[in-house]
Amino acid sequence: MSALTIDHVYKSFKDVQAVQDLSMELPEGVIFGLLGPNGAGKTTTIRMIMDIIIPDKGKIFLMGKPNSQQVRDQVGYLPEERGLYRKMKVGELLSFLAEMKGLKPSQSKVRIKMWLERFELNDWINKKVEELSRGMQQKIQFIATVIHEPRLIILDEPFTGLDPINTDLVKNIMLEQKNKGAAIIFSTHLMDQVEKLCDSICLINDGKDVLSGELRQVKKNFGKNAIRMEYEGAAKFLNNQKLVRNYKDHGNFVEIYAAEKITIKQLLQEAITEVDVSKFEIMEPSLHEIFVETVKKKKNGGKK
Amino acid sequence: MNRLWTIFKREYLTRVKTKGFIIGTALTPLFIILLSIGPSLLISLKTEKSKQISVVDLSGIVYDELLNALNDTTSSGERLYELTRVKATLENMDNVKSDLSQAVDKNEIDGYIVIPPDIIEENETHYYAKSVSNFDENRIFRNAISQIITNYRLEQSNLNPELINKLTRRINLRTFKVAKGGKEEEDRGLSFIVTFIMVMFLYMALIMYGAFVMRSVYEEKLSRVVEVLISSCKPFQLMAGKVLGIGAVGLTQYFIWAAVAALLTIYSGSIIQIFAASDSGFSIPTIPISVLVYFVIFFILGYLLFATLYAALGAIVNSDQDAQQLQFPVIMLIILAFILAFHIIRNPTSNLSQIISMIPFFSPITMFTRIAVQMPPFGEILLSIIILVLTIIFMIWLAGKIFRVGILMYGKRPTLPELLNWIRY
């Protein structure tokens, strides 16, 4: 069964088309990267999933059912804009937020203790939220997101403000929840995190799905594999537009993107005539590259 | 419904548990008790130290009489005003005066009174002291000397002062309120005070608890807590939970105060004996049960009306300044109702009173004032309540619409046309 189905959804605000013909299918036990530049329509999409705003057209199903209080109780949502009641005590706050998700106080008490221990925050249970550091508050909010063991977890930029240790902790919890069968929607601008964690992605731009599918497939389809070359000498051929579409000098090595119709073999032949090649390796395109390329292409297309 | 209860509970408990609530609830009755019995308490307190007053009587007719007239005593039974006669003539007057002023400055005496030789014609006398702002004391001196001079003048005209006083005695007007069923009850102006206090309470409650709702909404909005809440419940549940939760806090506070008032009424006799002079004529007036019931009804209805309005405003707000600006017109509305209530206290049956007690944003205060002053026909009360309830239903609908959109709109404050757009959504 799919945790989330978005079926040809449209939403516009006044004269802005925020989301346009968006469709998604999210099976259980999958981490799904929802990507896109700022203002692409990610938050609008998430808000529609949470039934905060209603689509103009199209349907959204959670766990195969139309949106309702009951179904939404199985969703955990960590918004990008974080906020907690500053004057409440940590324990009371978590208990309140758990109750808002339908958890009984007797149930939440045990879980709050367990989660606070896991994040090493158990000494803070009777402290007011305003006494906590920003990072601690982030962790509290993350606990509130997963405390009711949701089957669909929506995380909007979950790592901002966390140190590397806690980032790893959150990452582990994400994988753990995935293995338990939860579906996770993960929205972020950190492409390397997406590459490490996500099974599938959807890249939206101007409210439209511009690239989606399984991460491996997306990379394969992108086609333009980069070449990593370590060498010594003056590589003039890199500036030959007929051979090389683009390249990036990383200092220790260059990342080369071949021009269209140029095979890797041709490129290698050209290279060894000019420089001493010590390493020549075909790399998968980075998601970063794919993101930038795809969004740029659309922009230029739009201008024409 | 479940979620509404969760929100209600949080709003209620987090507020009732605050120090502000506990202190406010405890201090307000104390404050009112002090206000009501404090003055009589203060008056009954006698000054401990007697005052040294020198009198320069150039007319020669005042001093002896003054000695008799100023016979107030201190708490230890001594004369409050120790008078000393200072001899002087018109010629050495300036020297005597400067000597006396020196004495006042050195705290050797508290003050001195100069009675000019022509006081009968000039009608003027002078009092010198470090502090002359004690109106009570000034009044005592003025009255005493006035009386002496008046009596002197009457005697000079061969009239008997005692007889004159007897003949010109003032008439005392006692007032009786005719209640339902023609029952008469003596009223010493206390019914005005009671009405005033109750209307004041209503007025304060509408402003205070309304502002609480507004603050609660916009704090959630600005701290972005609302995003999580709204993903767990309907915006309407959030708004309703808040309005009802804070309203319940208000009712709790009133209930506690009512209980204190009831206790005071029961034990009023003994309390007054402890605190106030027994002859001060002070008694806690009884309020008819029907007026109390209407007080609760109009508090609840008025609160619902203004709280929903405030909730909608809170959703629009994007900063503290916004909040203050938007609050202003609503507060003006309540103040206007309060001012109109004064007209009603004076003219409870005028056409204007009838009209303003029907207008929904005024009626919680104005109709209640009419009820407290002079019970209007039941039909009019009912009509006022029906209009009010219909307005509340409309306001809840309207506020719900504005709240839903506004709560997630950050950035600049919406203009009126934008607001209308939200309502159409």
Side-chain angles (χ1 to χ4, degrees):
Chain A
M1 194 181 69
S2 63
L4 171 69
T5 309
I6 297 180
D7 186 15
H8 299 283
V9 161
Y10 290 79
K11 180 75 197 178
S12 62
F13 299 108
K14 273 192 198 159
D15 43 349
V16 185
Q17 191 73 41
V19 171
Q20 215 174 334
D21 196 19
L22 188 69
S23 292
M24 260 182 226
E25 186 79 34
L26 184 56
E28 294 188 324
V30 152
I31 300 182
F32 182 88
L34 184 61
L35 315 175
N38 298 326
K42 284 175 298 181
T43 306
T44 306
T45 306
I46 289 171
R47 283 181 176 176
M48 282 192 289
I49 295 170
M50 297 312 300
D51 205 29
I52 295 171
I53 47 179
I54 304 155
D56 297 337
K57 226 163 84 181
K59 289 204 169 75
I60 294 173
F61 297 97
L62 296 169
M63 333 301 156
K65 289 179 214 139
N67 214 314
S68 71
Q69 178 87 67
Q70 250 179 338
V71 176
R72 256 180 299 132
D73 282 354
Q74 298 175 41
V75 182
Y77 172 39
L78 180 76
E80 185 181 7
E81 300 276 10
R82 309 292 151 73
L84 298 166
Y85 292 106
R86 297 171 50 76
K87 299 277 176 201
M88 271 180 106
K89 285 178 185 162
V90 170
E92 285 172 1
L93 176 74
L94 283 173
S95 170
F96 165 70
L97 290 173
E99 201 179 327
M100 286 296 285
K101 283 295 180 189
L103 229 57
K104 290 195 192 82
S106 55
Q107 289 173 296
S108 60
K109 208 176 166 188
V110 184
R111 294 196 199 171
I112 288 168
K113 215 177 150 227
M114 187 273 283
W115 279 109
L116 285 178
E117 243 158 59
R118 200 156 171 197
F119 277 98
E120 293 176 349
L121 286 171
N122 30 2
D123 292 342
W124 297 83
I125 189 160
N126 283 321
K127 292 269 161 58
K128 280 187 182 173
V129 170
E130 60 190 351
E131 294 172 51
L132 270 60
S133 74
R134 192 95 194 104
M136 284 174 178
Q137 291 185 23
Q138 295 270 49
K139 291 193 272 183
I140 299 293
Q141 195 145 20
F142 185 81
I143 293 173
T145 311
V146 293
I147 193 157
H148 54 294
E149 294 181 346
R151 288 167 69 189
L152 175 65
I153 304 171
I154 301 172
L155 304 173
D156 205 344
E157 294 286 357
F159 301 122
T160 41
L162 291 183
D163 61 44
I165 294 166
N166 286 305
T167 303
D168 281 347
L169 184 55
V170 168
K171 237 187 267 178
N172 288 339
I173 294 167
M174 282 170 75
L175 291 171
E176 198 181 284
Q177 296 289 325
K178 170 191 159 174
N179 292 334
K180 275 190 187 169
I184 300 173
I185 296 179
F186 173 36
S187 170
T188 183
H189 293 298
L190 304 171
M191 290 305 139
D192 55 326
Q193 300 285 11
V194 177
E195 270 182 279
K196 279 180 207 155
L197 286 166
C198 291
D199 303 294
S200 340
I201 61 150
C202 176
L203 174 59
I204 51 178
N205 193 24
D206 291 333
K208 278 175 274 189
D209 174 355
V210 288
L211 188 67
S212 60
E214 271 183 54
L215 187 59
R216 238 169 303 163
Q217 201 59 43
V218 165
K219 285 193 168 183
K220 214 169 167 189
N221 291 352
F222 191 69
K224 292 155 187 165
N225 286 349
I227 294 152
R228 179 188 171 125
M229 184 176 80
E230 286 172 26
Y231 67 98
E232 266 170 46
K236 282 179 202 147
F237 78 97
L238 289 176
N239 292 320
N240 186 342
Q241 295 280 319
K242 279 179 192 162
L243 293 170
V244 174
R245 182 170 51 88
N246 195 7
Y247 75 95
K248 257 189 239 162
D249 197 342
H250 290 285
N252 290 335
F253 64 93
V254 280
E255 199 178 322
I256 306 168
Y257 295 90
E260 273 177 65
K261 288 175 192 163
I262 298 294
T263 63
I264 287 162
K265 203 172 155 189
Q266 283 173 303
L267 212 59
L268 180 58
Q269 275 171 348
E270 201 65 37
I272 46 181
T273 56
E274 278 186 23
V275 293
D276 293 332
V277 178
S278 57
K279 196 170 181 181
F280 194 87
E281 182 187 35
I282 299 165
M283 297 196 314
E284 271 193 325
S286 70
L287 200 54
H288 186 97
E289 181 70 22
I290 296 174
F291 184 102
V292 172
E293 277 289 310
T294 313
V295 172
K296 259 192 194 160
K297 200 157 65 190
K298 291 286 158 187
K299 222 178 224 169
N300 294 338
K303 270 176 195 165
K304 279 168 199 170
Chain B
M1 210 53 209
N2 240 339
R3 296 301 131 85
L4 200 159
W5 171 242
T6 308
I7 292 161
F8 174 91
K9 230 169 39 183
R10 195 200 77 86
E11 279 307 328
Y12 182 79
L13 290 178
T14 50
R15 261 158 230 285
V16 170
K17 280 194 287 186
T18 55
K19 282 188 201 110
F21 177 81
I22 295 165
I23 293 170
T25 308
L27 285 189
T28 309
L30 222 69
F31 187 66
I32 289 171
I33 290 169
L34 272 182
L35 267 189
S36 47
I37 62 176
S40 50
L41 201 70
L42 278 179
I43 287 168
S44 64
L45 281 179
K46 292 191 171 182
T47 321
E48 285 168 19
K49 238 183 84 203
S50 55
K51 291 195 163 182
Q52 303 296 326
I53 308 284
S54 295
V55 181
V56 184
D57 185 5
L58 295 171
S59 70
I61 52 173
V62 175
Y63 181 79
D64 294 330
E65 296 288 333
L66 196 59
L67 208 55
N68 289 331
L70 296 178
N71 55 3
D72 289 335
T73 52
T74 64
S75 49
S76 54
E78 290 166 40
R79 278 183 70 97
L80 175 57
Y81 298 108
E82 290 283 4
L83 301 187
T84 334
R85 187 166 202 163
V86 177
K87 300 251 189 229
T89 57
L90 267 179
E91 287 75 45
N92 69 359
M93 191 55 214
D94 287 343
N95 291 335
V96 171
K97 255 178 79 178
S98 75
D99 285 351
L100 286 171
S101 288
Q102 288 290 327
V104 170
D105 188 44
K106 289 177 191 151
N107 288 328
E108 287 163 7
I109 57 171
D110 291 288
Y112 63 96
I113 297 170
V114 177
I115 294 161
D118 51 356
I119 182 164
I120 303 295
E121 291 81 34
E122 290 301 313
N123 224 8
E124 194 180 275
T125 183
H126 303 141
Y127 173 53
Y128 299 83
K130 265 189 176 167
S131 160
V132 288
S133 53
N134 185 342
F135 291 111
D136 239 20
E137 199 167 83
N138 296 352
R139 187 174 48 82
I140 286 169
F141 291 152
R142 187 182 60 231
N143 284 355
I145 298 170
S146 251
Q147 193 64 48
I148 291 162
I149 298 301
T150 308
N151 286 351
Y152 181 81
R153 284 181 189 144
L154 289 172
E155 271 168 9
Q156 292 296 304
S157 316
N158 287 326
L159 294 168
N160 180 354
E162 257 173 64
L163 185 66
I164 298 287
N165 275 341
K166 217 166 154 189
L167 293 178
T168 56
R169 220 168 47 215
R170 279 171 156 265
I171 294 292
N172 190 18
L173 180 75
R174 284 170 75 187
T175 50
F176 297 86
K177 187 173 175 173
V178 181
K180 258 212 174 118
K183 235 170 54 189
E184 296 158 18
E185 226 174 83
E186 180 152 14
D187 188 326
R188 294 183 188 167
L190 277 169
S191 82
F192 169 78
I193 295 170
V194 171
T195 306
F196 181 79
I197 289 176
M198 290 182 92
V199 171
M200 190 76 192
F201 261 98
L202 210 51
Y203 161 81
M204 272 169 19
L206 293 184
I207 288 188
M208 196 168 73
Y209 288 105
F212 280 169
V213 172
M214 182 174 184
R215 172 166 280 273
S216 167
V217 169
Y218 82 74
E219 275 180 356
E220 248 165 44
K221 177 182 175 178
L222 297 187
S223 74
R224 316 285 161 120
V225 181
V226 72
E227 189 108 5
V228 173
L229 297 182
I230 230 77
S231 71
S232 316
C233 72
K234 290 275 164 205
F236 188 78
Q237 291 176 319
L238 178 60
M239 189 178 92
K242 275 186 176 307
V243 167
L244 296 179
I246 294 173
V249 175
L251 279 181
T252 307
Q253 200 161 44
Y254 279 109
F255 181 76
I256 294 171
W257 290 342
V260 172
L263 283 177
L264 269 183
T265 316
I266 294 166
Y267 295 108
S268 59
S270 46
I271 289 172
I272 287 161
Q273 273 180 356
I274 295 166
F275 286 111
S278 52
D279 59 346
S280 67
F282 180 84
S283 76
I284 293 174
T286 47
I287 305 159
I289 296 294
S290 60
V291 173
L292 281 179
V293 170
Y294 279 122
F295 179 79
V296 174
I297 291 174
F298 279 100
F299 167 70
I300 292 174
L301 292 179
Y303 169 76
L304 285 178
L305 181 65
F306 281 99
T308 43
L309 181 61
Y310 272 114
L313 290 180
I316 299 172
V317 160
N318 274 310
S319 68
D320 285 331
Q321 279 145 305
D322 270 8
Q324 268 159 19
Q325 280 174 19
L326 281 173
Q327 228 175 334
F328 184 68
V330 185
I331 291 178
M332 285 310 291
L333 213 57
I334 301 175
I335 290 176
L336 192 57
F338 189 60
I339 293 168
L340 290 172
F342 279 96
H343 171 82
I344 291 174
I345 288 178
R346 268 179 279 125
N347 315 291
T349 50
S350 74
N351 284 340
L352 181 63
S353 295
Q354 275 175 315
I355 293 166
I356 54 183
S357 60
M358 293 295 156
I359 298 172
F361 284 93
F362 298 152
S363 58
I365 287 178
T366 50
M367 188 38 118
F368 174 73
T369 310
R370 277 186 69 191
I371 290 169
V373 176
Q374 182 184 344
M375 190 66 80
F378 181 68
E380 283 188 32
I381 301 177
L382 192 67
L383 180 63
S384 168
I385 290 179
I386 289 171
I387 294 174
L388 193 54
V389 168
L390 289 178
T391 315
I392 290 169
I393 293 169
F394 172 74
M395 275 308 297
I396 290 175
W397 172 82
L398 186 76
K401 293 260 180 192
I402 294 175
F403 189 86
R404 254 192 60 168
V405 185
I407 201 83
L408 291 168
M409 284 281 181
Y410 304 115
K412 85 174 189 31
R413 197 170 83 199
T415 59
L416 208 58
E418 279 173 318
L419 269 183
L420 291 175
N421 237 335
W422 292 5
I423 295 165
R424 269 190 237 123
Y425 254 103

